[in-house]
């Protein structure tokens, strides 16, 4: 009897802390890693991961005279022998012409890359030999995007219909906003992005226009590849066991009492903090998100939530 009373007291304390939005976890309760609650993933590479996997920046030994680069940041003047490049150069095309080598004051070989912008010649000097540059898996001219990458993505995606899997987008005037996810969208433009996210993908859904930034390739900075933004097929087909009521909530990025943890993950994504505590009814689990969302599960089902 005493053990049951202690257990009920612990449960009451968790509920009280949850309702007061001050839950910090029970010290004796081990923290759960996000892997414990992520939806089970397939060991094989998904079709979305394969979709644009062949699109990469051309290596230096693939460059040809006239190869085009889109300027993505006005800071590009810092790498060239020019301090008077206009801010309006962003979005403009510079063209590769040739390279030669020189010797630095330290006696090392420098490779000088020549580009043209309108009638001006721009030189980018790299502290490496041409052979060293060519041997690199990827060589990027800072603050530029290879036009060939934009063209390749355009050929693959333009006018196609996909399903968006991220709700965070930009509207037509550049404001960030949340929209329903897992809904069909049609790609209507592919443009240069910025030096962090080289591709800007514009699309329409429900007669409204939005856009997102996208990365390509397998570099460390490639954190927003196609598979994190889009699905080739309707995600609804993967979850026939989810009711239409719960699926509608999921697409609108909200949760409702009675949802499973899988459904809450689909709606809100992975939490930043998880605590578990046994109760006489099963397991209490508390999820907390950095944006203020807090969820309380009782034996696997959502019991309370706070936004």
């Amino acid at each position: 009897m005493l053990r049951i009373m202690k257990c009920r007291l612990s449960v009451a304390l968790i509920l009280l802390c949850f309702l007061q939005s001050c839950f910090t976890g029970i010290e004796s309760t081990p923290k759960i890693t996000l892997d414990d609650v992520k939806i089970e993933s397939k060991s094989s590479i998904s079709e979305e991961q394969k979709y644009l996997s062949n699109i990469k920046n051309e290596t230096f030994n693939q460059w040809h005279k006239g190869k085009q680069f889109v300027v993505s940041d006005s800071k590009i003047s810092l790498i060239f022998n020019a301090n008077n490049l206009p801010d309006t150069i962003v979005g403009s095309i510079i063209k590769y012409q040739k390279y030669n080598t020189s010797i630095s004051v330290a006696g090392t070989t420098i490779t000088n890359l020549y580009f043209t912008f309108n009638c001006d010649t721009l030189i980018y000097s790299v502290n490496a030999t041409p052979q060293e540059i060519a041997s690199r898996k990827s060589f990027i001219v800072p603050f530029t995007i290879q036009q060939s990458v934009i063209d390749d993505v355009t050929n693959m995606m333009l006018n196609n219909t996909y399903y968006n899997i991220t709700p965070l987008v930009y509207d037509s005037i550049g404001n960030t906003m949340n929209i329903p996810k897992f809904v069909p969208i049609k790609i209507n433009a592919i443009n240069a992005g910025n030096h962090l996210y080289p591709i800007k993908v514009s699309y329409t859904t429900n007669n409204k226009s939005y856009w997102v930034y996208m990365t390509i390739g397998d570099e460390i900075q490639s954190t927003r590849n196609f598979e994190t933004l889009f699905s080739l097929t309707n995600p609804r087909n993967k979850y026939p066991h989810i009711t239409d009521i719960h699926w509608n909530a999921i697409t609108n990025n909200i949760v409702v009492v009675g949802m499973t943890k899988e459904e809450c993950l689909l709606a809100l994504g992975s939490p930043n903090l998880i605590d578990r505590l046994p109760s006489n009814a099963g397991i209490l689990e508390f999820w907390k998100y950095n944006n203020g969302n807090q969820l309380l599960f009782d034996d696997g089902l959502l019991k309370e939530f706070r936004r």
Side-chain angles (χ1 to χ4, degrees):
M1 179 64 70
L2 180 60
R3 184 177 180 181
I4 293 175
M5 291 178 64
K6 287 183 177 179
C7 187
R8 288 178 176 173
L9 178 59
S10 297
V11 172
L13 287 173
I14 273 196
L15 289 173
L16 178 62
C17 291
F18 173 79
L19 293 174
Q20 291 177 342
S21 299
C22 62
F23 185 91
T24 58
I26 307 301
E27 291 184 1
S28 61
T29 304
K31 296 296 183 291
I32 314 298
T33 65
L34 293 183
D35 289 337
D36 292 325
V37 296
K38 285 182 179 178
I39 301 172
E40 184 178 348
S41 61
K42 296 181 180 179
S43 58
S44 60
I45 297 176
S46 69
E47 291 303 313
E48 285 76 14
Q49 288 174 303
K50 298 176 185 177
Y51 192 60
L52 300 181
S53 61
N54 291 330
I55 297 178
K56 295 179 174 64
N57 286 304
E58 291 184 345
T59 58
F60 180 60
N61 58 5
Q62 295 176 306
W63 291 13
H64 56 83
K65 183 177 180 180
K67 178 176 173 61
Q68 298 182 352
F69 296 77
V70 181
V71 177
S72 60
D73 196 305
S74 60
K75 294 186 182 69
I76 197 169
S77 61
L78 298 175
I79 73 167
F80 286 133
N81 61 328
N83 297 317
N84 58 347
L85 294 176
D87 290 343
T88 53
I89 194 174
V90 175
S92 299
I93 297 290
I94 62 173
K95 296 181 180 180
Y96 172 70
Q97 299 299 320
K98 64 178 182 177
Y99 75 87
N100 63 22
T101 60
S102 59
I103 303 299
S104 71
V105 293
T108 60
T109 298
I110 293 175
T111 301
N112 304 301
L113 306 176
Y114 289 77
F115 299 83
T116 55
F117 169 60
N118 295 334
C119 297
D120 297 326
T121 298
L122 307 175
I123 304 173
Y124 173 41
S125 297
V126 184
N127 190 23
T129 67
Q131 293 75 22
E132 289 171 337
I133 296 175
S135 68
R136 296 178 186 178
K137 178 181 178 182
S138 177
F139 175 67
I140 298 174
V141 178
F143 311 118
T144 70
I145 302 162
Q146 293 189 15
Q147 181 65 49
S148 60
V149 168
I150 300 171
D151 293 341
D152 289 343
V153 174
T154 299
N155 290 335
M156 285 290 294
M157 295 185 64
L158 187 62
N159 296 323
N160 289 349
T161 296
Y162 307 105
Y163 291 82
N164 70 316
I165 60 175
T166 177
L168 185 60
V169 299
Y170 295 89
D171 64 15
S172 58
I173 58 175
N175 295 320
T176 57
M177 61 183 303
N178 282 287
I179 64 171
K181 59 190 174 187
F182 305 148
V183 297
I185 56 96
K186 184 174 182 179
I187 308 300
N188 53 34
I190 302 293
N191 297 110
N194 57 42
H195 66 284
L196 294 177
Y197 306 103
I199 304 298
K200 178 182 176 181
V201 181
S202 301
Y203 62 80
T204 56
T205 180
N206 294 326
N207 297 317
K208 294 183 180 179
S209 298
Y210 306 100
W211 57 273
V212 293
Y213 284 123
M214 186 175 74
T215 55
I216 53 95
D218 55 3
E219 304 296 325
I220 295 176
Q221 64 270 26
S222 299
T223 57
R224 287 177 60 84
N225 283 4
F226 180 89
E227 65 269 16
T228 69
L229 300 171
F230 306 106
S231 173
L232 295 170
T233 57
N234 188 350
R236 181 69 172 106
N237 297 335
K238 299 178 183 179
Y239 305 98
H241 55 284
I242 297 178
T243 66
D244 289 341
I245 292 176
H246 282 189
W247 187 257
N248 184 62
I250 288 168
T251 60
N252 285 286
N253 315 298
I254 60 177
V255 295
V256 295
V257 171
M259 274 186 167
T260 64
K261 288 185 284 186
E262 177 190 52
E263 291 168 341
C264 291
L265 281 169
L266 287 168
L268 302 181
S270 297
N272 302 98
L273 174 69
I274 304 165
D275 277 313
R276 282 179 178 168
L277 185 71
S279 74
N280 61 330
I283 297 292
L284 285 179
E285 188 164 300
F286 177 77
W287 292 6
K288 187 173 184 179
Y289 293 79
N290 284 344
N291 63 4
N293 285 322
Q294 301 176 54
L295 311 182
L296 181 66
F297 296 89
D298 188 353
D299 202 23
L301 296 179
L302 184 62
K303 184 179 181 64
E304 302 279 353
F305 64 91
R306 179 181 292 274
R307 287 194 286 267

